[in-house]
Amino acid sequence: MSLENKVAIVTGAARGIGLAVAKRFLTDGAKVVIADVDDDAGQAAVDDLKQFGDVTYIHCNVAERLDVRNLVAETLNAYGDIDILVNNAGIVVGADFLELEEEDLDRVLGVNLKGTFLCSQAVARHLVERVQNGGEPGCIINMSSINSVLAIPNQIPYCVSKGGVAQLTRTTAVALAPYGIRVNAIGPGSIMTDMLASVNHDPAAKNRILSRTPMLRVGEPSEIAGVAAFLASSDSSYVTGQTIFADGGRLPLNYTVAVPDDL
């Protein structure tokens, strides 16, 4: 699944799944722009990944239109083109429904949903112009979640935002299909990022996660990166408007599974 000489933007790539996607793209031959709001972590990511290929950090708050415009402009200045966009930036705010603050709802939807829209629109405008000038179409990959389908009562903004991302994926895929531009999404289940690292020291929490995961393990960021590499490559040239759920079998499960004591 070669991405040789492709140019990719990965938002929220200073750590976690985004960082793993950036690394996989680099090893597959792409030039990668890491976009994030955490400048220290973003630069540290570049320092770690530059051994694998050509990588650059650009500060970007995806919820801010001018930041997104600057991200696209700086990427074009640095590499002359954009082939792949991965909308990975996302935040979580936990609160019970009756206590949820309007500001927190706005903040999560702003990053997770509006940010995905703004980045997609800005990159798609470049891709459409390129196609009209005889160039290749390119692709967009959104980071959805199993929580676009399943509900967590104290994670309302996150679940709603990811449901929106799923529908945004479908509608933009249809809108951009005439240009050959593909838009797909990935729906991760429980992945071992910073947010889940604490379960390694909390047997009860780990048991809860594994009991709803038929494969009886937490996924790795590199496994999500593998799906992103497929969706970014020509191997998925006839796939658009889809969400691929990488969740260890959680979505098909209609009960809990027994967790062995030694896990």
Side-chain angles (χ1 to χ4, degrees):
M1 294 187 290
S2 175
L3 301 179
E4 197 69 32
N5 296 320
K6 300 294 186 181
V7 178
I9 296 173
V10 185
T11 68
R15 55 175 60 84
I17 290 174
L19 181 62
V21 171
K23 180 180 178 180
R24 175 60 186 265
F25 282 7
L26 287 166
T27 60
D28 283 357
K31 303 175 180 69
V32 176
V33 170
I34 288 175
D36 210 290
V37 294
D38 188 334
D39 295 337
D40 291 339
Q43 191 55 56
V46 167
D47 293 341
D48 288 341
L49 294 179
K50 60 186 178 183
Q51 61 183 304
F52 301 107
D54 193 343
V55 57
T56 300
Y57 172 72
I58 297 175
H59 177 94
C60 181
N61 178 353
V62 298
E64 296 293 335
R65 179 175 54 86
L66 294 181
D67 271 22
V68 172
R69 181 182 298 177
N70 181 65
L71 171 64
V72 171
E74 286 199 38
T75 301
L76 292 174
N77 286 339
Y79 295 117
D81 213 343
I82 302 169
D83 300 285
I84 304 159
L85 168 66
V86 180
N87 285 306
N88 174 75
I91 60 173
V92 175
V93 174
D96 291 335
F97 174 64
L98 297 179
E99 306 300 328
L100 178 64
E101 298 289 343
E102 180 182 356
E103 293 79 6
D104 289 332
L105 177 68
D106 289 343
R107 187 157 59 94
V108 174
L109 292 180
V111 173
N112 297 8
L113 183 54
K114 179 184 174 184
T116 298
F117 164 76
L118 290 175
C119 291
S120 295
Q121 186 184 61
V123 170
R125 284 171 172 164
H126 165 74
L127 295 177
V128 166
E129 182 179 0
R130 187 171 72 178
V131 169
Q132 291 173 335
N133 291 326
E136 295 295 317
C139 68
I140 297 170
I141 303 166
N142 298 325
M143 201 59 65
S144 186
S145 169
I146 57 168
N147 296 117
S148 65
V149 178
L150 303 176
I152 301 177
N154 67 349
Q155 293 290 348
I156 292 165
Y158 182 80
C159 295
V160 170
S161 70
K162 292 304 183 180
V165 167
Q167 189 68 345
L168 181 64
T169 299
R170 289 187 283 266
T171 53
T172 53
V174 173
L176 296 174
Y179 304 99
I181 299 166
R182 298 180 298 106
V183 185
N184 291 290
I186 305 171
S190 298
I191 306 299
M192 189 52 71
T193 60
D194 291 344
M195 287 189 292
L196 268 188
S198 61
V199 304
N200 286 326
H201 308 289
D202 186 341
K206 185 176 182 180
N207 187 280
R208 282 195 300 271
I209 289 173
L210 296 184
S211 71
R212 67 193 188 198
T213 309
M215 291 188 74
L216 291 173
R217 66 178 180 85
V218 174
E220 294 295 331
S222 61
E223 294 178 293
I224 305 304
V227 180
F230 165 68
L231 291 174
S233 77
S234 59
D235 287 351
S236 60
S237 57
Y238 200 50
V239 180
T240 195
Q242 305 301 310
T243 298
I244 297 178
F245 290 99
D247 64 357
R250 182 178 175 188
L251 273 183
L253 184 67
N254 194 32
Y255 58 91
T256 57
V257 296
V259 180
D261 293 337
D262 58 349
L263 289 183

